[in-house]
Amino acid sequence: MASSLDHGLKKTVWKKTIIADCRKSEIWKILILDQFTTKLLSSCCKMSDLMAEKITIVEDLYKSREPVLEMKAIYFMSPTFLTHLFCLLTMNKTSKRLTKVCKEINISFLPQEAQVYTFDNPGAFQSIYSSHSQDRRKTLESLADQLVTLCATLDEYPGVRYKKDGNMENAETLAKLVDDKLSIHYELDDGGKRKGKTQAQLLIVDRGFDPVSPILHELTYQAMAYDLIEINEDTYKYKANNGAEKQALLNENDMLWVKLRHRHIAEVTEEIPKLVKEISASKNKQPDAKITISNLSQMMKKMPAFRKQMSEKTVHLQLAEDCMKHYSKNVEKLCKAEQDLAVGSDVDGVKVKDPMRTLLPVLLHPYSIPDKIRAVLLYIFSLNGTTEENLNKLIQHVKIEDQREYILNWKQLGVPIITVPSFFPRKSSRRDRSQEQTYNLSRWTPVIKDVMEDAVENKLDTREWPHQSECPAAWNGSGAVSARQKHKPSSQDERRGARLIIFVIGGVTYSEMRCAYEVTQAVKSCEVIIGQFESSTELFFNLLKE
């Protein structure tokens, strides 16, 4: 079974934390953690991984505990008053005999997935976007510091670019802060030389660049599950066949989850029963029998050797069934209207000339208030804003007079909500995906995927994506390879093994995370890593549900 340590960012973070110091000693040790370092290690390793490095006990720094004098301890702590006090104590003559090493580890982010990071800063959204915020600059400074630790952990000194937006200055401000702090951080390397730019690029963009993706009902497995099912801290709770309450962690230790999470739900519901049959075939004389939760339970009792493997399949069979129940009840009908409004045309490619005709059936149907709000928002986004009179009518129709902020607050993200009466064209052109095979109810592609593909193909327009700092030669073009590169291989070949790091101010959706993996897989010359404030990725869904 693969370990969580086999996955991208998690493997990198694990190597950068305490692992090197652990391997210097063959004796068993105790590990003392605070709240952040507990989250950090929990995100990239399991207890079995720690045991393999001779760590036998993990303790909470802030809890009383019995001394274990016969064992050595590793204190892994965040830079707080308490840790500064600890460092002062190590300067004491008596303490010096007890403290052998005091080491700084420059990590202030969590590896959420192999190609996804988070800063675990849930208050950042309000600090940056609230009209009453008093600490916006301070929050951006903090985010810049965290981005620098990400780059340092990856050993990258990237060129920095940002999405220019006339209404919002967050991306530009953060880009400048990050670039200045990177310059200071890499002023001198360990050899006394200034570190040059590496083959990496950092793109910073504000959430308002694509308001559609967070609102749509997504039908890929991970996005759909986290939207429709109650999943807290990656824990899925469900009832077993005997009625007992069970729970399962949806993380990268579950290789079936890793395999299926970015697949469309239609493929997932076909794949899981096939996998169950493959496992049970060697023991079951009737491999073609219909697989249900009920007879899975019976099979597991008869096959102890297969119990763990079957348990994983059972979890996903149940989760997929739960997703499909929601889909069949409401989501399927909603998706057609949502996709037409988002894409601007129907499944046959016919342009939506009157978005209100697409919206009206949703408003007349007894859908939930959050679902109607999502549809209203998509209608407004499709027009690039609506009149105040029309908005008031919509709010009255949905009966959300006391919840109108769910719609109006999008203007704080730079998204047009109220405009003069006119049908506006869409803000920017999209990549042509007419030849790509898609499901009828999954035609929308997140805008960030266009950005990723344009970036690795060197096609980002410098007018829309200004350079905050110089970029390596292979990233310096805008639409074409520069003259001095014409005799060389393509810029993508030059960037083999390079990284494209993206930070979205305001949060990332699961569909956008999926795009990072898809582009990496398709391009192969460049790894795409994407990140956000906090691990609560479906931020806007949570706001609508409150």
Side-chain angles (χ1 to χ4, degrees):
M1 184 69 176
S3 165
S4 58
L5 303 186
D6 298 329
H7 301 284
L9 273 175
K10 297 187 176 187
K11 182 177 181 180
T12 303
V13 169
W14 171 244
K15 286 182 177 180
K16 293 275 187 176
T17 52
I18 61 170
I19 183 64
D21 294 307
C22 287
R23 289 179 177 173
K24 291 177 183 177
S25 173
E26 288 297 318
I27 65 173
W28 289 94
K29 299 166 283 290
I30 298 174
L31 181 61
I32 294 94
L33 306 173
D34 62 19
Q35 186 177 14
F36 174 76
T37 53
T38 298
K39 285 184 179 180
L40 179 60
L41 282 187
S42 298
S43 70
C44 64
C45 71
K46 298 180 291 185
M47 191 61 206
S48 58
D49 299 315
L50 294 174
M51 291 283 286
E53 304 302 334
K54 299 289 185 179
I55 293 173
T56 183
I57 302 172
V58 178
E59 296 278 10
D60 187 331
L61 175 66
Y62 295 99
K63 288 185 178 178
S64 299
R65 56 188 180 279
E66 292 294 324
V68 187
L69 301 179
E70 68 276 13
M71 297 184 72
K72 290 189 176 182
I74 297 176
Y75 285 79
F76 189 25
M77 304 175 290
S78 306
T80 61
F81 171 77
L82 183 61
T83 53
H84 290 310
L85 180 62
F86 179 84
C87 290
L88 287 173
L89 287 172
T90 62
M91 298 172 67
N92 180 279
K93 288 184 178 180
T94 304
S95 299
K96 276 187 175 181
R97 295 199 302 269
L98 302 175
T99 306
K100 289 194 172 182
V101 178
C102 188
K103 178 181 177 182
E104 181 180 7
I105 298 173
N106 197 19
I107 295 179
S108 185
F109 68 94
L110 301 178
Q112 184 175 333
E113 291 183 8
Q115 292 175 227
V116 182
Y117 62 92
T118 172
F119 292 152
D120 193 37
N121 190 345
F125 189 92
Q126 290 293 331
S127 295
I128 291 176
Y129 293 113
S130 172
S131 57
H132 306 294
S133 176
Q134 300 294 317
D135 58 354
R136 175 178 164 274
R137 176 77 183 193
K138 181 180 177 181
T139 300
L140 290 174
E141 288 266 8
S142 176
L143 292 173
D145 288 332
Q146 291 180 286
L147 275 168
V148 170
T149 73
L150 172 72
C151 295
T153 301
L154 296 172
D155 197 25
E156 298 285 13
Y157 187 2
V160 181
R161 300 176 75 172
Y162 62 92
K163 179 70 169 70
K164 192 171 185 179
D165 190 325
N167 299 320
M168 304 295 288
E169 299 177 353
N170 295 325
E172 182 177 0
T173 302
L174 182 57
K176 187 177 188 311
L177 288 170
V178 171
D179 194 55
D180 289 345
K181 291 174 183 290
L182 279 170
S183 179
I184 295 170
H185 179 81
Y186 285 122
E187 187 66 36
L188 294 176
D189 64 14
D190 294 337
K193 296 180 181 179
R194 180 181 173 85
K195 183 179 178 70
K197 294 283 187 177
T198 57
Q199 294 289 69
Q201 187 167 200
L202 169 63
L203 303 182
I204 298 175
V205 60
D206 216 306
R207 180 65 264 174
F209 84 107
D210 175 11
V212 173
S213 293
I215 297 302
L216 281 175
H217 282 91
E218 249 275 339
L219 299 183
T220 47
Y221 190 33
Q222 182 184 36
M224 190 176 187
Y226 277 79
D227 182 11
L228 302 179
I229 311 299
E230 196 70 32
I231 298 174
N232 296 312
E233 296 183 351
D234 299 327
T235 301
Y236 166 56
K237 295 182 179 180
Y238 63 101
K239 282 191 176 182
N241 186 55
N242 60 5
E245 292 282 346
K246 288 199 171 187
Q247 61 183 39
L249 269 177
L250 303 176
N251 59 27
E252 290 177 325
N253 293 319
D254 181 346
M255 297 312 295
L256 182 56
W257 171 249
V258 173
K259 178 182 179 180
L260 297 177
R261 62 185 173 185
H262 298 146
R263 304 265 289 272
H264 194 277
I265 190 64
E267 299 170 13
V268 173
T269 52
E270 290 182 2
E271 180 78 5
I272 296 175
K274 289 179 182 177
L275 292 172
V276 174
K277 287 181 181 180
E278 288 174 8
I279 297 170
S280 62
S282 61
K283 294 288 182 180
N284 189 347
K285 299 300 181 181
Q286 296 177 328
D288 294 328
K290 183 179 179 182
I291 303 298
T292 65
I293 297 295
S294 178
N295 60 33
L296 269 178
S297 178
Q298 297 302 315
M299 278 191 262
M300 288 169 66
K301 290 178 182 177
K302 297 176 183 178
M303 301 182 294
F306 291 83
R307 191 167 297 168
K308 182 179 179 181
Q309 198 174 10
M310 289 289 284
S311 177
E312 294 175 356
K313 309 301 183 292
T314 305
V315 167
H316 291 289
L317 189 62
Q318 182 67 60
L319 181 55
E321 285 184 2
D322 283 352
C323 288
M324 288 306 296
K325 286 177 184 176
H326 286 275
Y327 175 77
S328 300
K329 185 177 180 181
N330 282 322
V331 177
E332 183 177 11
K333 295 176 182 177
L334 276 169
C335 279
K336 183 184 183 306
E338 289 182 353
Q339 289 292 314
D340 289 356
L341 289 170
V343 177
S345 60
D346 65 16
V347 69
D348 297 317
V350 178
K351 184 178 179 180
V352 176
K353 295 181 180 180
D354 184 1
M356 179 55 76
R357 293 186 64 182
T358 305
L359 174 65
L360 197 55
V362 176
L363 300 183
L364 294 176
H365 192 277
Y367 291 118
S368 68
I369 294 298
D371 283 339
K372 289 187 177 182
I373 292 175
R374 288 163 80 157
V376 168
L377 283 168
L378 289 171
Y379 163 79
I380 294 171
F381 299 159
S382 73
L383 299 175
N384 207 20
T386 187
T387 65
E388 187 168 6
E389 180 185 3
N390 192 32
L391 178 60
N392 289 333
K393 288 180 179 178
L394 290 171
I395 288 173
Q396 290 171 9
H397 192 95
V398 183
K399 298 179 181 178
I400 56 166
E401 287 86 349
D402 57 342
Q403 298 171 302
R404 59 194 298 126
E405 290 78 13
Y406 287 148
I407 295 174
L408 293 175
N409 281 350
W410 279 85
K411 65 184 179 183
Q412 303 295 341
L413 279 71
V415 180
I417 297 298
I418 298 176
T419 58
V420 295
S422 174
F423 281 75
F424 291 87
R426 291 184 177 270
K427 288 183 179 179
S428 59
S429 59
R430 298 292 309 273
R431 288 177 73 104
D432 181 12
R433 301 186 184 275
S434 59
Q435 301 306 310
E436 295 181 8
Q437 289 188 339
T438 59
Y439 288 86
N440 289 345
L441 300 183
S442 300
R443 288 171 282 134
W444 171 261
T445 299
V447 176
I448 199 69
K449 188 170 187 179
D450 291 4
V451 173
M452 293 171 181
E453 291 174 338
D454 285 347
V456 297
E457 294 173 13
N458 233 354
K459 292 180 179 178
L460 285 181
D461 190 332
T462 54
R463 293 168 297 182
E464 294 183 9
W465 292 88
H467 293 270
Q468 180 60 44
S469 65
E470 62 173 316
C471 286
W475 294 98
N476 72 352
S478 181
V481 179
S482 63
R484 62 177 178 273
Q485 291 178 296
K486 286 184 178 177
H487 64 286
K488 300 179 181 180
S490 71
S491 56
Q492 280 187 231
D493 290 333
E494 290 183 346
R495 292 197 303 271
R496 188 159 299 280
R499 285 191 177 99
L500 175 64
I501 305 168
I502 297 175
F503 181 68
V504 182
I505 305 173
V508 178
T509 67
Y510 285 105
S511 59
E512 291 168 328
M513 291 181 191
R514 185 188 75 246
C515 293
Y517 294 91
E518 290 174 344
V519 174
T520 300
Q521 181 63 30
V523 175
K524 293 185 171 61
S525 63
C526 179
E527 179 186 32
V528 182
I529 296 173
I530 192 166
Q532 58 186 335
F533 294 152
E534 56 175 328
S535 58
S536 179
T537 49
E538 300 307 316
L539 178 63
F540 305 105
F541 297 156
N542 293 336
L543 288 173
L544 289 175
K545 289 176 182 176
E546 291 179 357

